[in-house]
Amino acid sequence: MSLSLSTSLKGLEQSDIRVMSLECDRVGGINLSQGVCDMETPPQVIAGAKKAMESGDNFYTSCTGIPPLREALAKKLLSYNKIKADPQENIVVSAGATGALFSACLALLRPGDEVILFEPFYGYHLHTLLAIGAKPVFVRTHPPDWHFDFSLLEKSITKKTRAILICTPSNPSGKVFTLPELKAICELCEKHDLIVFTDEIYEYFVYGDAKHTSPASLPQLADRTVTISGYSKTFSTTGWRIGYCVCKEEWAIPISHVNDLLYVCAPTPLQFGIAAGINSLQDSFYSSIRASHQKKRDEICAVLDEIGLRPHIPQGAYYILADASSLEGNDSKQKSMRLLGKTGVASVPGRAFYHDGAGDNLIRFCFAKEQVDLQRAYFALRNLKK
Ligand code: PLP
């Protein structure tokens, strides 16, 4: 029997991010490519999971998540995101934000639906849409502040458009959508009856004057938005796979059915651990990780500037897109490889975030790393000038 792959997975290949990580391991380099946060998991989170395992909470749960986690999330959504959510009706806990977005898209979109995707985009967003047969329609954001043209956004909307996908703060650009931008998007959504999918996994990492606003906190958007987030980044638990989505009950029910089909439930004891973290960690925890990331952002930006890789300073998340025009190479892959070869520091080619090669003069660095690794990376990066 000849094996032919699913057509919906066409184009799904090993990402540049994984390729660079493998290459980095091969040469024993310093990996600033992958968005894996090296920070310590808070002990309260670990203790909560350990207690749950030891007391026998090791079995399937409801496909919407354990009640204590949904209750903790509802409180947090009200206080931090200004989103009113009923823990029984509006929240679905999933296998990471990735699982929550996939379940939501599969439940709410039809093959052939067009979805606006801001560019540069996060690869999983693109591939989620493609895998379910939706058609991404790209709207570009432009450095240094990653603004976009509203008239182009409006022109991109057709009769087939069903949704807009927002990532705020954004991976890879660090763009934090402003209130005026969200209000303008809101008007378009009302006019054209669109859904908003918003990935807010970096919601706690905003710097300087930037302020995180959840689209669903705008009253007119509350009922047409699926808010997606999780604790991979905030609690440094990327391997735990705990995320969630929040939306009106009419949507939460079919999303929970898809979530059940794909994952059955999120890992039970780890849900308890995340709930323990949300309930016990104070504001000072969130402000200290924000301050620590901001310090790292400022330091890496200064080094990149010094070596001629001008950074587009991010307002949020923990990535930097830097101008790679000064590096030799015909495209961003060659430029990233060149940087790895000369300095031992791995980055991600900018082309990974655009559909048409527009990112060929950009490379992305992740700065959510331990200080000792960052200091080694800065030392190595300065070799570029020698
Ligand atoms: N969303 C964005 C924008 C990300 O950058 C990432 C990880 O890099 C994720 C989601 C993954 O989240 P999770 O681990 O909760 O699936």
Side-chain angles (χ1 to χ4, degrees):
M1 189 180 77
S2 72
L3 185 68
S4 58
L5 299 178
S6 156
T7 46
S8 62
L9 298 183
K10 231 174 105 211
L12 187 64
E13 51 192 27
Q14 189 167 52
S15 72
D16 278 342
I17 302 180
R18 282 200 189 275
V19 171
M20 288 309 293
S21 288
L22 289 174
E23 195 51 26
C24 181
D25 284 350
R26 202 184 59 78
V27 301
I30 308 162
N31 194 349
L32 300 192
S33 65
Q34 216 162 10
V36 175
C37 183
D38 286 352
M39 325 281 285
E40 201 193 327
T41 305
Q44 295 88 332
V45 175
I46 307 259
K50 196 164 170 253
K51 188 168 158 221
M53 277 181 214
E54 286 171 352
S55 49
D57 283 310
N58 297 303
F59 307 106
Y60 295 139
T61 64
S62 154
C63 60
T64 54
I66 56 165
L69 177 55
R70 280 184 277 132
E71 278 149 28
L73 286 170
K75 279 194 208 136
K76 167 262 177 199
L77 283 159
L78 189 61
S79 62
Y80 187 68
N81 305 89
K82 312 288 175 256
I83 296 174
K84 271 198 209 126
D86 181 321
Q88 314 296 334
E89 293 173 354
N90 304 122
I91 300 176
V92 180
V93 175
S94 186
T98 309
L101 178 70
F102 202 91
S103 301
C105 288
L106 196 53
L108 303 181
L109 298 175
R110 295 160 301 207
D113 280 346
E114 292 180 3
V115 178
I116 305 285
L117 186 58
F118 290 97
E119 204 173 36
F121 51 72
Y122 169 55
Y124 275 73
H125 291 164
L126 172 70
H127 287 290
T128 296
L129 296 176
L130 294 176
I132 61 159
K135 181 178 173 227
V137 175
F138 303 98
V139 171
R140 190 153 296 174
T141 62
H142 303 275
D145 57 353
W146 305 101
H147 64 278
F148 58 94
D149 182 333
F150 281 101
S151 58
L152 273 182
L153 171 62
E154 181 146 35
K155 274 192 207 133
S156 309
I157 296 174
T158 71
K159 284 203 168 58
K160 289 190 178 163
T161 310
R162 175 103 168 114
I164 298 188
L165 203 165
I166 293 172
C167 187
T168 184
S170 155
N171 173 9
S173 69
K175 174 181 177 61
V176 175
F177 280 73
T178 63
L179 190 56
E181 283 172 337
L182 293 175
K183 284 185 172 161
I185 289 174
C186 176
E187 268 178 38
L188 287 183
C189 290
E190 287 192 290
K191 189 166 156 196
H192 300 277
D193 192 20
L194 305 179
I195 302 173
V196 175
F197 293 102
T198 160
D199 181 340
E200 301 175 26
I201 190 96
Y202 300 103
E203 60 191 333
Y204 287 109
F205 309 153
V206 279
Y207 313 123
D209 294 336
K211 194 177 163 305
H212 175 64
T213 306
S214 290
S217 65
L218 275 59
Q220 303 90 321
L221 278 185
D223 265 357
R224 51 174 77 250
T225 300
V226 184
T227 304
I228 288 142
S229 193
Y231 281 85
S232 285
K233 313 287 173 172
T234 310
F235 290 167
S236 301
T237 47
T238 49
W240 284 27
R241 314 310 306 130
I242 306 289
Y244 62 90
C245 70
V246 188
C247 57
K248 60 180 172 186
E249 189 185 13
E250 199 184 318
W251 291 353
I253 293 171
I255 294 173
S256 73
H257 294 160
V258 176
N259 193 47
D260 187 8
L261 175 68
L262 296 176
Y263 313 108
V264 182
C265 63
T268 306
L270 308 186
Q271 293 190 56
F272 279 99
I274 298 293
I278 301 173
N279 288 331
S280 62
L281 291 162
Q282 307 296 315
D283 287 351
S284 56
F285 166 79
Y286 301 93
S287 41
S288 85
I289 45 172
R290 180 178 306 138
S292 150
H293 283 322
Q294 179 160 341
K295 186 163 173 276
K296 289 175 182 175
R297 175 198 73 161
D298 294 344
E299 283 166 2
I300 189 170
C301 282
V303 174
L304 292 173
D305 227 359
E306 190 186 314
I307 62 170
L309 299 177
R310 192 170 46 86
H312 297 302
I313 299 168
Q315 296 174 298
Y318 47 52
Y319 307 94
I320 297 183
L321 284 172
D323 184 341
S325 330
S326 63
L327 286 172
E328 271 171 48
N330 296 330
D331 59 32
S332 55
K333 176 92 181 278
Q334 289 185 2
K335 288 172 192 247
S336 261
M337 284 296 190
R338 170 104 190 135
L339 187 68
L340 181 64
K342 267 204 106 178
T343 67
V345 174
S347 56
V348 181
R351 68 174 194 183
F353 311 109
Y354 290 84
H355 74 288
D356 61 357
D360 265 339
N361 264 330
L362 293 170
I363 50 176
R364 191 198 75 175
F365 297 91
C366 170
F367 56 88
K369 302 284 160 188
E370 295 286 4
Q371 267 298 354
V372 338
D373 294 322
L374 288 172
Q375 294 307 326
R376 276 175 58 227
Y378 302 157
F379 185 78
L381 281 170
R382 287 192 173 105
N383 281 332
L384 195 63
K385 279 295 214 188
K386 289 181 188 156

